Amino acid sequence: MINKINVVEPYLPDYSKYANYIKEIYERKILTNKGPLVELLTKRLENHLGVKNILLVSNGTIAIEIALRLLECKGEILTTPFSFIATTSVPLWSGCTVKFSDISPKTYNMDVDLLKSSVSSDTCAIMPVHVFGNPCDLDSLELLAKEKNLKLIYDAAHAFDVKFNNRSVLGYGDISTLSFHATKLFHTVEGGAIIISDDKLYEKAKAMVNFGFENGDITMVGTNAKMSEFHAAMGLCVLDDIDKIKLCRKSIYNRYLDKLCGDFQFQKISHDVEYNYSYFPILLKDESTLLKVMKALNDDNIFPRRYFHPSLNTVVSMSFDQCMPVSEDVSQRVLCLPIYPTLTIIEQDKVIDILNRGV
Ligand SMILES: *Cc1c(COP(=O)(O)O)cnc(C)c1O
């Protein structure tokens, strides 16, 4: 039986190491609510990433929800149509409206010049995404947010361990959110984090994720977004291996760049970036070529993903009426290739051969 090659395989750390943490939890009988493993993971992540005020939560979607609440965002959120659905559904779920602004065809991130002209008097916040871990134009966005008095929230779900000018991108903006879902570079099975620049807001966020409890009193409307000890245990194990994980991914990434020769375009990673090699997207000539290539790969048990597809402004059930020509074009032609530490060279070369053979 030939192994199925997916776009990603969740990373599973050493079993006995994980089991030891679980044994500890059994003995301590603290399963959640600010347990010691959550505290330890918080501190270790702050050190590793070089940022302060990390709040661990139960997933990356609720992380965005809490960011919007904390910054009291009402009205219009300006965001990218080229992202995972959560970037758009959370503002809608939270009672805001969503307005899209198109992306750059090279970086796949929001085009700041277009964004400038999209800001209206209703705009409360801008919410860019570091798409596939490629940092946005951080300085221009900061300037724009300041100039127009807007909140700046980064959906940084892909940007774990990404640095710009030797500084984590997670330290930019009012808030950055992370996803620690099993398919992400660093994971806790399910989980996420909020990185909050303002110390007072950080304190407020701690209460907000725990039903609004502050020193025993209910001081605000809250929700339940706590990370459990079992999830933190997985995070501690994966964090031990993160440098190894990134090295494996880097060599796969560079092998694709070296060996792929055909009518493909690659994402332009910005200068002065320490990248995390979390995805390997390619753009094909057109959608019909993409569908043929997909079929050829699928026939060989290789399953890349059309990520992101469709462009979010075209999601029928949300009935938006904006056209986003660049995002729609990229969405129709983008394919994310398999990249994960256990992908073998033989498997990767099979992917490369099929792509280079053409259709
Ligand atoms: C994965 C992801 C999310 C959602 O995170 P979950 O932890 O799955 O809730 C949000 N935004 C982007 C860009 C993502 O890739």
Side-chain angles (χ1 to χ4, degrees):
M1 162 77 192
I2 305 167
N3 273 343
K4 207 169 138 180
I5 304 174
N6 285 315
V7 64
V8 66
E9 187 179 272
Y11 181 79
L12 288 167
D14 181 64
Y15 179 74
S16 57
K17 186 191 272 186
Y18 184 61
N20 277 336
Y21 278 118
I22 302 305
K23 189 156 171 272
E24 250 184 56
I25 297 172
Y26 267 67
E27 283 160 8
R28 200 185 294 122
K29 298 187 168 61
I30 298 174
L31 311 192
T32 185
N33 286 42
K34 281 191 84 182
L37 298 183
V38 168
E39 297 280 290
L40 179 61
L41 182 60
T42 304
K43 287 288 159 269
R44 280 192 56 193
L45 283 172
E46 286 178 347
N47 280 329
H48 179 85
L49 298 167
V51 291
K52 62 170 189 172
N53 297 350
I54 293 187
L55 183 62
L56 297 182
V57 292
S58 46
N59 62 66
T61 302
I62 204 158
I64 305 172
E65 205 175 312
I66 288 159
L68 292 172
R69 273 260 175 187
L70 266 180
L71 297 171
E72 298 177 22
C73 294
K74 295 186 182 80
E76 188 178 276
I77 310 295
L78 254 177
T79 187
T80 171
F82 191 69
S83 183
F84 182 61
I85 183 65
T87 316
T88 280
S89 55
V90 172
L92 294 177
W93 186 262
S94 306
C96 300
T97 55
V98 164
K99 189 171 164 195
F100 295 112
S101 186
D102 213 346
I103 57 167
S104 142
K106 297 217 159 61
T107 65
Y108 316 153
N109 285 329
M110 292 185 91
D111 177 324
V112 181
D113 287 327
L114 288 176
L115 184 58
K116 274 181 196 155
S117 57
S118 308
V119 175
S120 75
S121 56
D122 293 333
T123 311
C124 162
I126 36 187
M127 192 158 73
V129 177
H130 306 295
V131 173
F132 304 135
N134 192 23
C136 297
D137 188 345
L138 298 157
D139 295 332
S140 308
L141 285 167
E142 196 122 318
L143 211 64
L144 176 65
K146 204 172 259 161
E147 242 174 58
K148 308 267 184 184
N149 197 24
L150 301 170
K151 307 290 186 197
L152 179 53
I153 303 168
Y154 285 106
D155 178 347
H158 299 172
F160 188 89
D161 255 359
V162 174
K163 287 183 181 158
F164 176 68
N165 282 337
N166 291 320
R167 185 183 149 200
S168 171
V169 299
L170 303 172
Y172 287 80
D174 295 296
I175 292 181
S176 287
T177 63
L178 284 169
S179 164
F180 298 155
H181 183 257
T183 54
K184 301 296 205 276
L185 176 72
F186 167 81
H187 80 91
T188 61
V189 185
E190 289 275 2
I194 315 170
I195 295 99
I196 303 161
S197 64
D198 182 90
D199 295 338
K200 280 209 188 82
L201 275 187
Y202 179 55
E203 293 308 314
K204 191 170 175 191
K206 285 186 195 167
M208 207 176 252
V209 301
N210 186 30
F211 308 101
F213 279 113
E214 235 171 344
N215 306 321
D217 293 326
I218 300 156
T219 59
M220 69 192 78
V221 177
T223 185
N224 178 6
K226 300 186 300 291
M227 179 180 278
S228 86
E229 289 287 278
F230 291 80
H231 293 86
M234 178 59 83
L236 287 165
C237 295
V238 177
L239 191 58
D240 282 344
D241 298 342
I242 195 72
D243 289 334
K244 192 180 78 187
I245 294 171
K246 276 193 302 177
L247 270 180
C248 290
R249 286 170 162 276
K250 182 177 179 179
S251 83
I252 294 168
Y253 186 97
N254 285 330
R255 195 176 176 82
Y256 275 133
L257 273 187
D258 283 350
K259 302 230 155 189
L260 281 174
C261 55
D263 201 355
F264 313 119
Q265 267 169 266
F266 306 120
Q267 184 182 27
K268 181 168 176 270
I269 306 294
S270 325
H271 293 293
D272 307 314
V273 169
E274 196 179 310
Y275 185 54
N276 66 2
Y277 308 95
S278 49
Y279 296 87
F280 195 89
I282 59 171
L283 281 199
L284 292 122
K285 197 168 63 175
D286 50 37
E287 191 173 29
S288 81
T289 309
L290 176 136
L291 292 172
K292 284 182 210 153
V293 166
M294 282 263 285
K295 167 119 188 13
L297 289 164
N298 291 169
D299 286 348
D300 252 313
N301 244 341
I302 300 161
F303 296 89
R305 237 185 105 188
R306 300 189 71 179
Y307 198 54
F308 304 107
H309 177 83
S311 183
L312 295 176
N313 59 302
T314 66
V315 173
V316 177
S317 60
M318 294 183 174
S319 45
F320 295 110
D321 59 2
Q322 286 185 277
C323 285
M324 293 287 127
V326 181
S327 174
E328 288 170 40
D329 175 53
V330 170
S331 287
Q332 276 164 6
R333 299 192 286 130
V334 70
L335 208 54
C336 280
L337 302 183
I339 183 166
Y340 49 87
T342 49
L343 185 73
T344 65
I345 286 185
I346 295 173
E347 288 172 326
Q348 189 185 5
D349 282 350
K350 204 163 108 181
V351 177
I352 292 168
D353 285 345
I354 294 170
L355 283 163
N356 283 348
R357 201 191 315 145
V359 288

